Amino acid sequence: MTDEQKPQTTKSDQKPHPFDGHALMWLLWAFVVYYFFTDLNQTRPVQIPYSQFKQEVVLKKVESVTFKLDEIRGKYLGASETDPAEFRTIIPATPDPELLPLLEANNITVTALSAAEPKWLQLLIGIIPWLLIMAFFIYSSRLMQKRIGGGSGGLFGFSKSNARLFEAKESKISYDDVAGVEGAKQDLQEIIDFLKQPEKFRAIGAKMPRGILLMGPPGTGKTLLAKATASEAGVPFFSISGSEFIEMYVGVGASRVRDMFKEARQRAPALIFIDEIDSVGRVRGTGMGGGSDEREQTLNQVLAEMDGFSGDEAVVVLAATNRPDVLDPALLRPGRFDRKVMLELPQQSARRDILKVHVRKVPLAADVDLIEIARMTVGFSGADLANLVNEAALLAARESVSEVTRRHFNHAHDKVMMGSERKDLLNPAERKRTAVHESGHAILALRLPHTDPLRQVSIIPRGMALGTTEQLPEEDRHNYAQAYVESRLAVMLGGRCAEKLILGDVSSGAANDLEQATRLAKMMVTQWGMSDVVGPVHFRTGTEHPFLGYELTQERDFSEATAREIDEEVRRIIHQAEQLAIETLGKQQHELDLLVTELLEKETLDKSSIDQLLKTKS
Ligand code: ADP
Ligand code: MG
Ligand code: ZN
């Protein structure tokens, strides 16, 4: 949300070559344009026929003339504002012996200019085409290099790595801006110490790891942490994203890697950061997804550069990925990225700390409780939390209030979790059905054991959904007990069951519930061993790694018979959950009716008002 991760960037090829083709091109253009315009701006003499010129001489209209080559320029005598002051005419090719005597007879000043251009102008005119040609060659050779990469600098040795260089002093990100990743910070502290005082480590012969791999889901602060590390260490920071290596032409990536490492070595101690390294560092030789040639060359170059470090070079390579599983094993072996730092999705206290970082510049009302917000943001990444704070601040700004309140955070949370409210109105029948459906989810969430507590029910359409029932886990869950999963399945199916129970039929509105329930049931059977029939086995179903080349070509690791068994078990588990849902709702039909009526009236109900309603009316 903030701009802090974008310090002033400079291209690392800072020294323009003295013979920079680009600059020369522009200079010449400027020349041409300048000449063109100065020429236009001069008041042009009128061109008159030779015979008229002679007549005007006789009529004593002419004051002076200048001869140059085949042209005569002249000034009129006593020209007025409207009349032209000057004229020019062309001398006929056949010599006119009368002309000079005629001019003399009329007392006209005659000047003659040498036919030749001044020496310097001649030189320039002669040289311009050559300069142009040269500039063109330099220019196009640069262009070629940029596209094709080409060996060590080509014709004139231009360096051109794409890495952005962040000067440490320019970057204001510090470890204070990265919260909730204490473990990772500690792991990196050693690197910071090393970069600050490489001599100290060298003196006792300690070798630093060359590569550190930051791993973790998207938005957990990998990029942020890398930048903070560089600025904590106060060293130059070369940052490039893996995808920037991949260009249309094979070989560019490799030459960029070479350039970047060269530059970093020159400026050591330095930190190189390769973001999203999975886009170059995938397992080689899968031949999937195209461009693998380019990828392999780039990856090979990275490996070669890392091997080329002599023991005491103070250059450390940080890399980040959210797909460590697809990385080539060669990247992970000792001597390369052998040190791994894991970043997890933040737990509750970490979420509170991250929120603290992001509300620093946001004026909060007294009723905002960051711990409460941390509790209701299970599964949010650091980036999600930053986004949440921003959404709340936006809401407050839109209302032109000076503080962000609890209500703004709640709204922002609903918006982030479930999409924006839609303004289109449901017709009464749809509205009733939605109220019944959501009440079904809600009553089951309240009445079944092992469920996550209910937070809020609403029949205001949001995003894709007509209504929403939201449950909030009390604490972060690290694994799921079978009883929890079964209750959760029943809650998912509860909406549809309530429709069946109260309205007598079902609708298409439950499609999403069914999809989720089926996926969950399938996980129970194939991954978690929660089916007695299939047994405690793990089956690959091919959905785990949708982006992974080799998964596509791999065969299903179970037989046709097992596939049928799995299908039957999935169906049985879902039927069982539906049974549980219908039974429970049947027992609680009174509560269900109450909730439906109240929802139709109030549209949105939170947990406490539901508790209130069910306590007083039953
Ligand atoms: P990643 O590279 O892991 O995908 P980023 O480092 O780009 O994630 O994080 C994106 C944004 O999310 C950061 O700019 C920051 O605003 C916020 N963020 C993520 N993790 C944290 C954290 N641990 N502390 C503070 N802010 C964070
Ligand atoms: Mg990133
Ligand atoms: Zn539903």
Side-chain angles (χ1 to χ4, degrees):
M1 63 176 268
T2 58
D3 232 7
E4 65 197 357
Q5 60 270 46
K6 274 201 281 169
Q8 292 238 328
T9 62
T10 43
K11 284 280 199 175
S12 65
D13 51 343
Q14 280 180 328
K15 302 153 274 176
H17 197 278
F19 229 33
D20 190 318
H22 223 74
L24 206 54
M25 257 328 217
W26 281 112
L27 201 71
L28 285 171
W29 259 116
F31 247 104
V32 170
V33 169
Y34 173 76
Y35 264 101
F36 185 69
F37 274 102
T38 47
D39 207 31
L40 268 189
N41 282 341
Q42 268 169 15
T43 47
R44 294 202 147 220
V46 280
Q47 178 144 9
I48 56 174
Y50 185 68
S51 54
Q52 187 188 334
F53 160 63
K54 279 177 83 173
Q55 258 177 15
E56 286 178 348
V57 170
V58 176
L59 292 174
K60 302 232 187 283
K61 282 189 183 169
V62 179
E63 182 192 331
S64 66
V65 292
T66 306
F67 282 72
K68 186 180 179 189
L69 292 174
D70 62 343
E71 190 190 72
I72 300 174
R73 290 192 180 221
K75 279 205 180 102
Y76 284 121
L77 204 60
S80 72
E81 293 257 311
T82 46
D83 289 339
E86 289 180 15
F87 64 88
R88 59 189 275 253
T89 187
I90 308 292
I91 306 169
T94 37
D96 182 355
E98 293 171 21
L99 182 59
L100 271 176
L102 181 71
L103 292 175
E104 266 168 40
N106 286 295
N107 253 344
I108 293 173
T109 325
V110 177
T111 321
L113 286 183
S114 146
E117 304 281 356
K119 276 271 157 56
W120 67 268
L121 195 63
Q122 273 181 346
L123 202 71
L124 194 68
I125 288 173
I127 235 171
I128 278 182
W130 293 107
L131 283 182
L132 265 173
I133 289 170
M134 241 169 83
F136 177 75
F137 269 105
I138 296 174
Y139 181 69
S140 57
S141 87
R142 263 180 77 107
L143 213 65
M144 295 266 274
Q145 263 183 35
K146 225 174 241 170
R147 296 232 178 97
I148 308 178
S152 55
L155 197 54
F156 287 97
F158 298 112
S159 90
K160 32 65 194 99
S161 108
N162 228 26
R164 279 149 302 169
L165 170 66
F166 293 81
E167 285 300 340
K169 51 187 175 306
E170 287 170 5
S171 162
K172 284 183 264 0
I173 307 170
S174 77
Y175 268 8
D176 291 341
D177 300 311
V178 195
V181 286
E182 300 316 320
K185 280 193 213 169
Q186 244 163 43
D187 288 350
L188 291 170
Q189 190 59 46
E190 199 184 16
I191 301 300
I192 295 177
D193 294 342
F194 169 62
L195 287 173
K196 272 187 175 156
Q197 295 174 295
E199 319 80 37
K200 199 176 90 185
F201 282 72
R202 256 174 236 149
I204 53 166
K207 279 216 179 82
M208 276 321 283
R210 296 165 182 170
I212 296 142
L213 186 63
L214 298 171
M215 310 187 297
T220 43
K222 299 181 293 295
T223 309
L224 190 68
L225 192 62
K227 287 177 183 161
T229 304
S231 72
E232 288 281 329
V235 297
F237 178 54
F238 294 84
S239 156
I240 193 161
S241 170
S243 57
E244 285 174 64
F245 286 132
I246 310 295
E247 295 263 326
M248 199 134 65
Y249 299 92
V250 174
V252 184
S255 86
R256 290 209 173 134
V257 170
R258 205 164 27 232
D259 287 342
M260 187 172 70
F261 276 82
K262 198 168 116 206
E263 184 110 15
R265 282 204 187 101
Q266 281 164 4
R267 304 197 44 168
L271 191 70
I272 290 179
F273 177 48
I274 307 177
D275 208 353
E276 320 280 349
I277 195 174
D278 44 303
S279 59
V280 283
R282 289 204 176 180
V283 179
R284 286 170 289 184
T286 56
M288 298 292 294
S292 66
D293 249 9
E294 166 67 344
R295 250 195 349 237
E296 280 186 23
Q297 288 199 14
T298 308
L299 176 57
N300 289 339
Q301 190 65 41
V302 171
L303 298 181
E305 293 289 347
M306 293 190 74
D307 287 344
F309 279 151
S310 60
D312 47 53
E313 257 166 325
V315 176
V316 174
V317 186
L318 267 183
T321 179
N322 45 29
R323 302 291 310 275
D325 51 328
V326 302
L327 289 184
D328 196 290
L331 266 177
L332 303 177
R333 79 150 174 70
R336 284 148 184 183
F337 293 101
D338 47 353
R339 189 77 70 86
K340 294 171 199 75
V341 173
M342 227 7 234
L343 296 179
E344 305 274 2
L345 284 177
Q347 303 288 304
Q348 187 172 313
S349 62
R351 287 198 297 273
R352 187 200 54 213
D353 294 343
I354 296 174
L355 283 168
K356 269 189 197 152
V357 168
H358 289 281
V359 297
R360 267 187 214 151
K361 287 185 192 137
V362 179
L364 294 184
D367 66 349
V368 176
D369 178 5
L370 291 185
I371 297 179
E372 185 196 4
I373 301 174
R375 201 180 306 126
M376 62 192 209
T377 46
V378 176
F380 274 47
S381 68
D384 293 332
L385 291 169
N387 181 37
L388 176 76
V389 173
N390 191 44
E391 285 287 344
L394 282 177
L395 274 175
R398 216 170 295 150
E399 293 174 10
S400 319
V401 292
S402 60
E403 282 185 326
V404 183
T405 65
R406 182 163 181 272
R407 186 176 52 85
H408 294 131
F409 273 103
N410 277 337
H411 270 229
H413 175 261
D414 291 353
K415 186 173 168 192
V416 171
M417 290 291 287
M418 302 177 286
S420 309
E421 288 183 5
R422 275 189 288 143
K423 288 284 167 259
D424 47 338
L425 292 172
L426 302 179
N427 69 39
E430 279 173 338
R431 219 168 151 262
K432 168 90 195 241
R433 189 179 282 279
T434 305
V436 169
H437 182 104
E438 298 309 328
S439 300
H441 287 308
I443 293 293
L444 286 177
L446 275 178
R447 295 298 172 235
L448 282 179
H450 317 295
T451 55
D452 289 326
L454 190 64
R455 174 168 174 264
Q456 153 181 304
V457 193
S458 167
I459 56 166
I460 298 172
R462 272 179 185 281
M464 298 287 285
L466 294 180
T468 48
T469 303
E470 196 192 343
Q471 288 168 273
L472 260 193
E474 201 97 271
E475 73 265 11
D476 301 78
R477 287 185 188 281
H478 304 286
N479 63 32
Y480 306 107
Q482 183 161 356
Y484 169 83
V485 182
E486 282 169 356
S487 288
R488 181 148 165 184
L489 268 182
V491 174
M492 281 176 182
L493 297 168
R496 186 171 180 275
C497 294
E499 287 182 51
K500 213 177 194 174
L501 202 67
I502 295 185
L503 304 172
D505 68 346
V506 292
S507 71
S508 63
N512 188 35
D513 292 339
L514 296 185
E515 188 192 330
Q516 282 187 21
T518 309
R519 194 179 318 137
L520 189 60
K522 200 164 175 184
M523 295 277 269
M524 291 171 69
V525 177
T526 61
Q527 324 272 306
W528 300 334
M530 289 182 183
S531 149
D532 292 335
V533 176
V534 173
V537 232
H538 182 287
F539 293 117
R540 207 171 20 231
T541 49
T543 52
E544 265 176 294
H545 302 306
F547 304 113
L548 200 57
Y550 58 77
E551 279 282 318
L552 294 173
T553 54
Q554 223 166 39
E555 297 207 349
R556 200 175 58 181
D557 66 348
F558 46 88
S559 69
E560 213 45 65
T562 310
R564 177 165 311 134
E565 230 169 45
I566 291 174
D567 289 344
E568 278 167 9
E569 274 301 278
V570 168
R571 211 170 292 137
R572 184 189 60 79
I573 288 175
I574 290 189
H575 271 305
Q576 196 181 315
E578 189 187 26
Q579 209 54 44
L580 177 63
I582 289 193
E583 268 170 32
T584 315
L585 287 178
K587 275 186 230 150
Q588 314 286 351
Q589 188 146 8
H590 175 62
E591 288 191 346
L592 192 59
D593 291 335
L594 273 177
L595 190 55
V596 172
T597 321
E598 185 81 357
L599 257 186
L600 283 173
E601 192 184 316
K602 300 255 175 67
E603 293 206 317
T604 301
L605 295 171
D606 61 11
K607 170 115 189 342
S608 56
S609 36
I610 295 176
D611 284 344
Q612 195 71 25
L613 171 82
L614 298 185
K615 210 187 298 160
T616 51
K617 298 268 182 81
S618 50

